[in-house]
Amino acid sequence: MFFPAYRPRRMRRNENLRRLIRETKLSVDDLVHPLFVVPGKGVKKPIHSMPGNFQMSVDHLLKEVKQSKDLGIPAVLLFGIPDEKDELASGAVRKDGIIQQAVRAIKDRVPDILVITDLCFCEYTSHGHCGCLKDGDVDNDATLEMLAETAVSQATETAVSQAKAGADIVAPSAMMDGQIEAIRDGLDEAGFENTPIMAYSAKYASCFYGPFREAAESAPQFGDRRGYQMDPANSDEAVREIGLDIEEGADIVMVKPALPYLDIIRRAREEFDHPIAAYNVSGEFAMIKAAAQMGWLDGERAMMESLTAIKRAGADIILTYFAPEAAKLLQKQA
Ligand code: PBG
């Protein structure tokens, strides 16, 4: 029998030893909390497949944002669900649109937290697709014009309402070719050179968005998103997509979903030195919640293990519905 002199288990024998050699430390600084805002007052409608998450009117949203801020979470990501949808997503570009109202209210009442606005049309179109339709197909270039217009109006509205210029970060998520450059130009022309873009660069056509589509009421009415979102089987393509977005001016690049794509996060980390975000999406959240409710998993540990894995893979920023829960736990541990 051969017994090696180096026995790794020596360093695992108690928590203080483990703390000394721990490589990855999850921090509240890494977290972004996604939230869903709807028109009206006094609305707080549970999203069944995402326990603890709600569609909220601005009054309730403000309380939630304040709670996130008090927990030390640096940013929220906002999704707007308008009252009325139409073919051209007009609700997204309106100055008094739901997102614009929400951003203004947050900047006014809870200024000390970053507001990231999701920039996509699937919540606003009657057909549920992320862009303009032409002959039953999503028209890339017409969508680019719409996207640039929305970015400008959102940022403009926010700037008017607050001393700091613009929504703090805009996050285009439609996977239209050339969208980052178009939005960067639009922002610059309107005087928002300092508004960063977080690009959903490697966004896969994933079934893990299922619960989100209930939350955002954005399920496509026909077809699916495989014509614009990425094929889950591809990895080199993610590198090309991320590279393009960086060339076009993205300040943060994102991989989405997170857990089934840890290899993509790791690859992005190795190939680019840009800040990398990973979106721990609704389905990843729902799986853990459901298993925990059944008593099949320790929900808290599954949450922390997942978030730590995403960070270990190379993410600097984690967008997650677990943000408040994880922040509370991290606070307790500190
Ligand atoms: C598109 C968008 C989606 C998500 C974020 N932005 C859904 C989609 O592409 O269908 C999914 C987020 C999640 O599942 O948590 N606006």
Side-chain angles (χ1 to χ4, degrees):
M1 262 292 191
F2 168 70
F3 293 106
Y6 175 49
R7 294 189 158 210
R9 283 179 52 179
R10 267 200 285 268
M11 289 300 289
R12 293 181 199 141
R13 294 188 60 249
N14 62 53
E15 181 56 13
N16 281 331
L17 283 171
R18 292 190 292 270
R19 278 173 64 206
L20 280 179
I21 60 163
R22 187 159 289 147
E23 297 172 35
T24 304
K25 283 186 184 141
L26 187 68
S27 151
V28 68
D29 298 338
D30 309 325
L31 306 176
V32 175
H33 187 196
L35 294 166
F36 301 95
V37 58
V38 292
K41 244 192 127 179
V43 184
K44 192 171 179 189
K45 189 175 160 215
I47 301 161
H48 298 292
S49 48
M50 300 169 68
N53 287 264
F54 304 86
Q55 291 184 340
M56 284 171 288
S57 50
V58 171
D59 49 334
H60 281 289
L61 179 83
L62 285 170
K63 290 183 215 162
E64 190 81 18
V65 174
K66 174 80 169 40
Q67 191 210 26
S68 294
K69 185 208 143 269
D70 291 343
L71 285 166
I73 296 169
V76 293
L77 169 68
L78 287 190
F79 294 99
I81 301 128
D83 261 343
E84 285 173 32
K85 302 178 187 245
D86 60 25
E87 287 259 309
L88 294 175
S90 348
V93 289
R94 277 186 7 222
K95 283 201 162 74
D96 60 348
I98 181 62
I99 277 279
Q100 289 82 350
Q101 285 180 35
V103 175
R104 272 200 301 268
I106 297 172
K107 290 281 102 185
D108 191 35
R109 303 280 297 281
V110 197
D112 196 18
I113 190 164
L114 294 171
V115 179
I116 309 176
T117 47
D118 183 83
L119 189 50
C120 190
F121 294 126
C122 59
E123 302 97 331
Y124 299 91
T125 49
S126 43
H127 44 72
H129 279 289
C130 301
C132 296
L133 289 192
K134 201 158 116 192
D135 306 326
D137 205 12
V138 178
D139 184 337
N140 197 85
D141 294 355
T143 306
L144 291 188
E145 278 175 35
M146 277 166 66
L147 280 167
E149 206 184 318
T150 318
V152 173
S153 81
Q154 278 176 350
T156 307
E157 287 299 313
T158 314
V160 172
S161 65
Q162 263 300 314
K164 286 190 179 170
D168 299 294
I169 302 177
V170 295
S173 66
M175 288 302 276
M176 298 300 140
D177 293 340
Q179 65 172 354
I180 301 306
E181 189 175 9
I183 292 165
R184 184 69 273 159
D185 286 350
L187 287 171
D188 291 352
E189 268 167 37
F192 296 105
E193 296 90 349
N194 290 326
T195 305
I197 297 176
M198 176 166 77
Y200 285 65
S201 305
K203 180 177 181 183
Y204 286 88
S206 170
C207 78
F208 290 100
Y209 308 148
F212 174 92
R213 292 180 186 168
E214 177 202 334
E217 299 170 13
S218 66
Q221 295 305 300
F222 62 89
D224 55 40
R225 301 208 206 292
R226 280 181 286 192
Y228 38 101
Q229 298 181 347
M230 284 182 50
D231 184 338
N234 294 351
S235 166
D236 294 342
E237 191 185 351
V239 174
R240 285 197 294 277
E241 281 277 11
I242 294 169
L244 274 172
D245 280 357
I246 290 174
E247 271 172 37
E248 290 181 31
D251 301 278
I252 300 166
V253 290
M254 192 200 295
V255 175
K256 178 184 170 192
L259 282 180
Y261 299 89
L262 290 179
D263 58 320
I264 309 295
I265 299 172
R266 164 57 42 182
R267 227 181 132 179
R269 173 79 293 146
E270 279 165 7
E271 306 223 12
F272 303 102
D273 52 15
H274 244 57
I276 294 170
Y279 202 139
N280 178 228
V281 302
S282 56
E284 300 172 53
F285 175 83
M287 282 197 296
I288 291 180
K289 285 290 173 190
Q293 277 179 8
M294 295 296 285
W296 292 345
L297 271 183
D298 177 333
E300 221 165 61
R301 287 188 58 191
M303 162 179 83
M304 294 314 260
E305 190 173 328
S306 301
L307 298 175
T308 303
I310 296 165
K311 182 159 186 187
R312 189 193 63 230
D316 302 295
I317 300 166
I318 306 173
L319 300 103
T320 178
Y321 306 97
F322 285 122
E325 238 179 297
K328 276 181 211 155
L329 211 64
L330 288 165
Q331 234 171 31
K332 254 200 278 172
Q333 289 167 358

